[in-house]
Amino acid sequence: MQDGSLELVRQIGEGGHSVVFLARRHGGHGFQRLVAVKVVRRDPDLPSVVNERFLHEARLLGMLRHRGIVTADNVVELSLGTAIVMEYVPGLDLSDVARLQSQRPGRVPLGWLAHVGLEVTNALQAAWSWPSPVTGAPLRVLHCDVKPSNVRITADGAVKLLDFGVSTSSIDDTASGPLMGTIAYAAP
């Protein structure tokens, strides 16, 4: 499916209120780039806070620039709904790694696990302390949904934190309300 300069190739993920597609962004003179496109479902029954949180995620990912955090380039309107155009991060998430490891003898090397944990911690610290481009004050981003499926490992070993959809921050005016995130991974 093609929608303007974006050609949706295939679905690569799905969440509570959104779907993520692998897409090609087409530019001038034959330019192409693979991107991820996260689309919030068009549903008149969705509470307005869902769209507000979606746009909050887009604003944060547009501001945060860290090797361990997925970046967003734009928010666009597609025929399917409002969409965040973001960096495509090929690889496996930690859920995939655990599933593959369970099928093989031996253990995941402790040093590798420590590396992944440190990289996630560095990304969380960067999100917390990243300065607002407007005020310079820290954004104080709390991810609120760190879990194996939101940690992506690339083929060259880079670690990226994904899905800031339920995060809170100092620029968030939707932070109050029901508990969001994945209960099994929520802080006590």
Side-chain angles (χ1 to χ4, degrees), residues 73-117:
D73 296 325
N74 203 358
V75 176
V76 297
E77 290 297 326
L78 302 177
S79 59
L80 297 172
T82 305
I84 304 172
V85 180
M86 59 182 70
E87 166 189 18
Y88 171 60
V89 183
L92 299 173
D93 64 40
L94 280 182
S95 296
D96 296 330
V97 172
R99 192 171 27 262
L100 290 170
Q101 186 61 33
S102 71
Q103 300 168 0
R104 302 171 62 189
R107 295 179 178 221
V108 176
L110 189 56
W112 182 81
L113 288 174
H115 163 74
V116 171

Side-chain angles (χ1 to χ4, degrees), residues 36-168:
V37 176
K38 183 175 184 177
V39 183
V40 68
R41 293 185 175 98
R42 284 198 200 275
D43 182 348
D45 295 330
L46 277 181
S48 63
V49 72
V50 171
N51 286 318
E52 293 166 15
R53 297 218 55 75
F54 187 78
L55 295 174
H56 176 256
E57 176 183 18
R59 284 190 295 273
L60 285 178
L61 295 180
M63 286 187 253
L64 297 171
R65 291 288 183 247
H66 183 269
R67 71 180 184 278
I69 299 173
V70 67
T71 59
D73 296 325
N74 203 358
V75 176
V76 297
E77 290 297 326
L78 302 177
S79 59
L80 297 172
T82 305
I84 304 172
V85 180
M86 59 182 70
E87 166 189 18
Y88 171 60
V89 183
L92 299 173
D93 64 40
L94 280 182
S95 296
D96 296 330
V97 172
R99 192 171 27 262
L100 290 170
Q101 186 61 33
S102 71
Q103 300 168 0
R104 302 171 62 189
R107 295 179 178 221
V108 176
L110 189 56
W112 182 81
L113 288 174
H115 163 74
V116 171
L118 181 61
E119 290 299 305
V120 170
T121 302
N122 286 337
L124 292 169
Q125 173 59 35
W128 175 258
S129 59
W130 199 263
S132 163
V134 176
T135 66
L139 288 173
R140 301 291 188 235
V141 178
L142 292 174
H143 188 281
C144 299
D145 201 21
V146 178
K147 59 185 178 182
S149 61
N150 285 339
V151 177
R152 179 66 52 117
I153 313 298
T154 66
D156 64 352
V159 178
K160 289 269 189 178
L161 189 56
L162 311 175
D163 196 355
F164 282 68
V166 297
S167 64
T168 63

